[in-house]
Amino acid sequence: MLQKEKINILIDKAKTAAENSYSPYSKFAVGAAILSESGKIYTGCNVENASYGLTVCAERIALFKAVSEGEKNFEMIAIFSGGKKPTYPCGACLQVLLEFVGDDFEIVSAFPEGYEIDRK
């Protein structure tokens, strides 16, 4: 599969995942889709809590779902939000991702107007 094709598929899945966001406090829905080296895609959305420290980001939910299914190596993640600018992983998400990714891992930050790509 071509790189651009992978990116588009991940963005579509992240966008769909954002629809399941539970974000009554911030009103900022985020979805994520992570691609494992085995070729499987896992999704997640942000889930907020009245005790804000217990909120979990979309990126970690997608990663935790994948790890709970036996995946340990990943190629790329796409994060989608409906904002006017791209949304990037927070420090906690980056720290958790670093446990499972190599130097060539790509982070795709998507929003309605386009996307940007970063390496970890």
Side-chain angles (χ1 to χ4, degrees), residues 13-22 29-32 44-46 80-81:
K13 291 195 177 287
K15 186 175 182 179
T16 299
E19 295 171 8
N20 292 324
S21 169
Y22 179 74
V30 179
C45 63
N46 57 323
F80 179 86
S81 69

Side-chain angles (χ1 to χ4, degrees), residues 1-51:
M1 184 182 316
L2 298 173
Q3 190 73 352
K4 182 133 178 116
E5 192 176 344
K6 285 181 189 179
I7 290 168
N8 289 333
I9 290 169
L10 287 177
I11 290 171
D12 285 344
K13 291 195 177 287
K15 186 175 182 179
T16 299
E19 295 171 8
N20 292 324
S21 169
Y22 179 74
S23 47
Y25 307 104
S26 72
K27 309 281 191 255
F28 192 71
V30 179
I34 192 165
L35 175 63
S36 70
E37 287 184 358
S38 73
K40 288 187 176 180
I41 297 171
Y42 299 85
T43 62
C45 63
N46 57 323
V47 179
E48 294 180 351
N49 189 275
S51 175

Side-chain angles (χ1 to χ4, degrees), residues 3 7 75-77 88-89 94 97-98 101-109 116-120:
Q3 190 73 352
I7 290 168
E75 289 183 27
M76 181 186 308
I77 190 168
Y88 296 94
L94 288 172
L97 284 166
L98 280 173
V101 302
D103 291 337
D104 57 349
F105 184 76
E106 292 182 324
I107 299 169
V108 178
S109 300
E116 295 179 2
I117 300 175
D118 253 340
R119 292 208 179 220
K120 69 138 184 89

